[in-house]
Amino acid sequence: MNQQSINKKRRIETFDLLKGIAIFMVVMGHALTMCVRGIDSAFLFKLIGQVHMPIFFFVSGYFTYKAMFKAPNLKKRFMQLIVPFLVITPLWVLYFPHSGLQSPLSHDLAGLYRSYWKDGYWFTLCLFEMSLLYYALSYALSRLKRGWMHAVLLVAVYGALIALSMAFSSEENNVDYAGVGLLTRFFPVYVMGVYAHRMKAAFDRARHNDWCVTAAIVVFALTFYCTVYPWDMPWWIQGSGSAVDSANAMLTQELSLATTPLMHLALIVIALAMVEPWGRHEYHTQGHTPGVAARYFNFLGHESLGIYLLHYFFLFPLTALQEPLKAMGLGMTPLVVLSAAVAFCVIAVTLLAIYAVKRSRILAMLLTGQPLGS
């Protein structure tokens, strides 16, 4: 195997580990927000909420890029993302009233499709819309010869998305029929993935530089704090009333649009700096057999879409733990232990369900997005 093939295999294993860790964090977050509930102010919940999904969009952008910006296969993406979305969401609406969960989710399909987060099923819709957008962009990008032309086009598209999201999307009012708000939020990190692959030699040099990693840690800490604790910022308007609330909501949205792309870039650099050496040690050390943790997260990475689609059905109410956790100050350690334990159990049951579903290739396609031919 030549060096290029070894490097490609190493990158794929690194990204599988990243996806595995990210999907585990998704379920940890849902254990806190849907099972326990009422502890959204916890630092761990805020940290998880800012970390897991950018990783998926970066990895998707990275593998979407083909030489000369070749357009993605939209039929394949539709079958993988939209078909399960259209099948799973009605099943979830039917199941939710019997789940015992007390989350304020939709009780009908129209409410789910109208809502901002689509009751948790926003990701597949958003990723397909991202593929559609990239399909249109790829035609222009393949014909632009200068880097600054690419930058101008992408900034213009991001600006147009911001305008659309402000006009047709409202997280505060839980309304976003087209999903344009989340499409706008994750467009920059998806594009980062595309260009990290296109310019992988330069990207690899940068992320292996100690100064770059240090800068990424500092940038992530600052932008994370500004994003999740905007009321601590000096520009936050003190007082009460609808006018003050509206002004602060606008400030928060503007701050998020300005800082989120930087935060996501810093996050990706940090995540790769942490995971790649582990993956290299586990999978590319001569005579070393990958450990249980590496094989576990690698497997979760392979099954991440199926876990995302089906794990909601295996969440269960833990509202009795609200007060004990609050009595412990919503500390990081008890929340990590609890959410990780719940996530491990929920994922184990979900993987059993995925195994059963995969006995039928048709069900596997409808419920987990697995191509019929695989």
Side-chain angles (χ1 to χ4, degrees):
M1 185 181 293
N2 60 35
Q3 189 61 42
Q4 185 177 2
S5 299
I6 292 173
N7 290 339
K8 182 177 180 181
K9 189 172 186 292
R10 183 178 298 168
R11 278 195 299 273
I12 292 172
E13 287 163 349
T14 296
F15 287 140
D16 281 335
L17 288 171
L18 272 176
K19 287 164 59 183
I21 294 168
I23 196 62
F24 193 88
M25 293 180 74
V26 167
V27 184
M28 284 178 66
H30 290 160
L32 296 177
T33 191
M34 295 181 70
C35 297
V36 179
R37 295 196 66 247
I39 55 172
D40 294 1
S41 61
F43 177 82
L44 177 65
F45 176 74
K46 293 180 182 294
L47 180 63
I48 288 174
Q50 297 297 329
V51 168
H52 48 54
M53 299 317 296
I55 290 173
F56 284 114
F57 281 100
F58 177 86
V59 172
S60 180
Y62 190 95
F63 286 110
T64 295
Y65 175 78
K66 301 294 187 290
M68 300 303 295
F69 295 99
K70 182 181 177 181
N73 185 334
L74 290 183
K75 179 181 177 182
K76 179 181 177 182
R77 300 302 267 170
F78 182 88
M79 298 299 293
Q80 182 185 33
L81 300 170
I82 297 301
V83 169
F85 173 78
L86 294 175
V87 173
I88 288 284
T89 48
L91 295 177
W92 172 248
V93 168
L94 289 172
Y95 172 77
F96 174 64
H98 309 286
S99 67
L101 298 171
Q102 299 177 23
S103 297
L105 301 181
S106 306
H107 292 282
D108 57 62
L109 207 53
L112 185 150
Y113 292 149
R114 181 178 61 249
S115 66
Y116 188 89
W117 294 100
K118 306 291 182 279
D119 286 11
Y121 282 107
W122 63 274
F123 173 70
T124 49
L125 174 64
C126 185
L127 188 54
F128 180 72
E129 291 176 339
M130 202 77 75
S131 299
L132 282 174
L133 183 57
Y134 182 73
Y135 184 91
L137 279 172
S138 62
Y139 180 83
L141 292 171
S142 65
R143 284 156 178 76
L144 296 177
K145 304 302 181 185
R146 303 288 184 181
W148 66 267
M149 294 179 180
H150 288 212
V152 168
L153 174 62
L154 293 171
V155 169
V157 171
Y158 186 45
L161 287 173
I162 290 172
L164 288 171
S165 66
M166 288 183 169
F168 300 106
S169 171
S170 174
E171 183 177 3
E172 184 179 3
N173 297 320
N174 194 29
V175 175
D176 191 351
Y177 286 94
V180 70
L182 291 164
L183 177 66
T184 303
R185 182 180 302 188
F186 292 103
F187 175 73
V189 73
Y190 181 89
V191 170
M192 290 173 200
V194 170
Y195 280 85
H197 193 169
R198 176 176 168 79
M199 302 184 294
K200 55 181 176 287
F203 178 71
D204 287 347
R205 284 196 303 271
R207 66 186 179 83
H208 287 134
N209 183 287
D210 285 345
W211 285 103
C212 285
V213 175
T214 303
I217 293 171
V218 173
V219 169
F220 179 79
L222 292 174
T223 53
F224 172 79
Y225 193 86
C226 290
T227 300
V228 302
Y229 299 112
W231 51 85
D232 284 350
M233 298 299 106
W235 50 78
W236 185 262
I237 302 171
Q238 302 299 324
S240 59
S242 58
V244 172
D245 291 343
S246 296
N248 281 328
M250 182 62 70
L251 278 172
T252 301
Q253 186 177 25
E254 292 171 352
L255 180 69
S256 177
L257 290 170
T259 59
T260 297
L262 282 174
M263 181 172 64
H264 287 173
L265 177 59
L267 166 67
I268 295 304
V269 172
I270 296 167
L272 287 170
M274 294 176 68
V275 172
E276 188 185 37
W278 178 39
R280 185 168 59 244
H281 169 73
E282 293 289 345
Y283 289 97
H284 297 280
T285 300
Q286 189 172 2
H288 176 77
T289 301
V292 173
R295 286 184 281 120
Y296 176 73
F297 285 111
N298 188 286
F299 180 68
L300 295 191
H302 282 283
E303 299 291 343
S304 57
L305 182 58
I307 294 170
Y308 166 76
L309 289 164
L310 295 181
H311 81 276
Y312 291 97
F313 293 88
F314 305 106
L315 298 173
F316 53 94
L318 290 169
T319 47
L321 297 179
Q322 279 182 16
E323 294 308 317
L325 289 170
K326 288 178 179 177
M328 289 185 277
L330 300 180
M332 176 75 83
T333 301
L335 287 179
V336 167
V337 171
L338 172 67
S339 59
V342 172
F344 182 84
C345 295
V346 169
I347 288 173
V349 178
T350 306
L351 289 173
L352 284 174
I354 291 172
Y355 177 81
V357 164
K358 285 186 175 180
R359 298 314 93 196
S360 164
R361 289 186 300 168
I362 295 173
L363 281 179
M365 179 196 70
L366 295 175
L367 298 177
T368 70
Q370 180 176 291
L372 275 175
S374 62

